[in-house]
Amino acid sequence: MPPVLVAEKLVKKYSLGVIPGGRHEVEALSSVDLIVDENEVAVLLGPNGSGKSTFMKIAAGILQPTSGRLTIFGKEPYLDIEVRGRISYMPQDLGLYGSLTGYENYIFYSSIQGVDKGSADRRLKSLKEELDLGEWFYKRRVTTYSGGMKRKTSLAVALASDPDILILDEPTTGLDPSSRRVFWEIAENLKSKGKTIVLATHLFEDAEYLADKIVIMYQGKIITSTPPSELRRKIGYRYSIDIEFTGKPSKHLLERLRKTCGELIFSGGYRVTLVTNNPESIRSVEKILDDVKYLSLSLRRISLGDIYFLLTGVKLK
């Protein structure tokens, strides 16, 4: 089967207007290449400003690239209205009308997507249970909703047309842990029905749980695009050692710890993370810390957050 989404040398520049010396532009995407296969969940991972939202808007047909191209089912969505009918987009800012109820938003956007009210209502019967859409969805205006209610409403809107591919920008931001797990279940259910999902997030738990392919983005570029298991093999480390000191560790101590393991990551404050391929390294670390005051020392499997730092030098929160 041919891939669902193909990005080739994709560039997007934004003009910041005319300044002394000429026009000024910022490059939000820089020669991005990406392939997403059918029935795959591709998770774009990166901080704000990494280019995730710009990529999503091009994929949804909202923005046109400066150069390069992006195709979905072989067609460019920013030029082809037909293929846009097979795409649903959930923006980061949700795009809901605050003066309407959730249900009114749902019916309004369904009609724009070419879904008649009867079909939309039938679709909503299953979505109501999946998304736990209570009485608030039908009777209260969106301005009164919590962040989680707004996210659920926006996701219902995105699913109304039963799309072939979903473009979801930060879909779990603002959701409590229980609601995020519900979203994970919904995403898995959609995948089981043959849907393709492109999802942007800065939350490692989402990526760890959902991704068939993790796309690490930083400063408008794709650093790597690979399945989670291959990403761990590529990085070359399997374990992390966390240390919490009672005070700021000396440079000499940090250098000794680094030489004992492979790399050293600062976690903030008095916390330090070391990465290693040998779990027995923690014994050597314990010996180095014999005469040092510290609060805790623990060994764990290397996390996606550690991997992101090793690839970009940036620690996501």
Side-chain angles (χ1 to χ4, degrees):
M1 295 291 291
V4 170
L5 182 152
V6 179
E8 301 171 288
K9 305 298 180 186
L10 198 65
V11 173
K12 181 60 181 178
K13 296 180 181 180
Y14 293 106
S15 174
L16 299 182
V18 179
I19 60 173
R23 300 187 65 86
H24 183 64
E25 293 181 324
V26 61
E27 193 169 66
L29 292 176
S30 178
S31 195
V32 165
D33 294 318
L34 180 64
I35 292 175
V36 179
D37 291 318
E38 186 176 8
N39 198 213
E40 185 173 60
V41 179
V43 177
L44 277 56
L45 183 64
N48 290 336
S50 60
K52 303 191 307 297
S53 291
T54 297
F55 182 90
M56 298 294 230
K57 288 176 181 177
I58 293 173
I62 296 169
L63 291 178
Q64 189 162 339
T66 305
S67 62
R69 69 198 298 259
L70 183 149
T71 60
I72 290 181
F73 301 112
K75 299 178 180 180
E76 296 172 81
Y78 39 85
L79 299 177
D80 192 292
I81 192 170
E82 181 182 347
V83 78
R84 286 205 298 273
R86 303 178 68 181
I87 304 166
S88 266
Y89 171 56
M90 178 179 168
Q92 187 174 359
D93 61 7
L94 303 181
L96 301 172
Y97 289 96
S99 61
L100 302 179
T101 66
Y103 177 70
E104 288 168 341
N105 271 278
Y106 174 84
I107 293 298
F108 171 72
Y109 280 111
S110 297
S111 65
I112 291 177
Q113 295 168 4
V115 181
D116 65 82
K117 188 175 183 299
S119 298
D121 281 334
R122 286 191 293 273
R123 176 79 171 140
L124 187 58
K125 285 183 179 180
S126 62
L127 294 176
K128 179 182 177 181
E129 185 174 346
E130 287 181 359
L131 297 175
D132 191 23
L133 302 175
E135 189 174 322
W136 53 268
F137 178 77
Y138 297 90
K139 295 188 175 181
R140 289 170 50 186
R141 294 182 179 183
V142 167
T143 50
T144 69
Y145 289 3
S146 67
M149 290 175 178
K150 291 177 181 177
R151 291 276 159 193
K152 290 178 180 180
T153 300
S154 187
L155 184 56
V157 168
L159 294 172
S161 63
D162 195 22
D164 294 314
I165 178 170
L166 285 105
I167 311 293
L168 307 176
D169 196 353
E170 300 282 356
T172 63
T173 297
L175 295 183
D176 59 58
S178 176
S179 295
R180 286 175 63 202
R181 289 186 179 90
V182 169
F183 171 79
W184 294 348
E185 292 173 4
I186 292 168
E188 285 192 317
N189 184 44
L190 289 167
K191 184 185 173 185
S192 72
K193 295 176 180 177
K195 307 299 184 184
T196 301
I197 300 174
V198 180
L199 183 155
T201 187
H202 64 279
L203 301 173
F204 293 117
E205 294 88 349
D206 288 359
E208 291 269 17
Y209 190 90
L210 294 171
D212 297 310
K213 178 180 291 178
I214 291 177
V215 183
I216 290 184
M217 297 191 70
Y218 182 58
Q219 294 185 337
K221 298 179 180 179
I222 290 180
I223 306 301
T224 188
S225 171
T226 187
S229 58
E230 290 185 19
L231 184 59
R232 285 192 163 83
R233 285 197 294 270
K234 180 178 180 179
I235 207 68
Y237 296 110
R238 297 169 60 196
Y239 303 98
S240 294
I241 299 172
D242 294 317
I243 311 167
E244 185 171 3
F245 294 98
T246 58
K248 186 177 180 180
S250 68
K251 291 182 179 180
H252 175 67
L253 174 60
L254 293 177
E255 182 59 22
R256 288 181 66 196
L257 291 170
R258 188 192 65 77
K259 287 181 178 179
T260 299
C261 296
E263 297 278 352
L264 184 147
I265 303 171
F266 281 93
S267 300
Y270 300 143
R271 291 180 58 83
V272 169
T273 298
L274 303 160
V275 290
T276 179
N277 212 29
N278 180 10
E280 294 303 314
S281 295
I282 195 169
R283 308 300 172 207
S284 301
V285 170
E286 283 179 325
K287 291 180 181 179
I288 292 174
L289 298 179
D290 270 346
D291 299 322
V292 178
K293 291 182 179 180
Y294 63 94
L295 297 175
S296 63
L297 172 66
S298 59
L299 176 73
R300 59 178 170 81
R301 182 172 175 247
I302 192 169
S303 72
L304 190 53
D306 299 332
I307 293 171
Y308 189 93
F309 180 90
L310 291 168
L311 290 173
T312 68
V314 173
K315 193 154 189 72
L316 288 184
K317 296 181 180 179

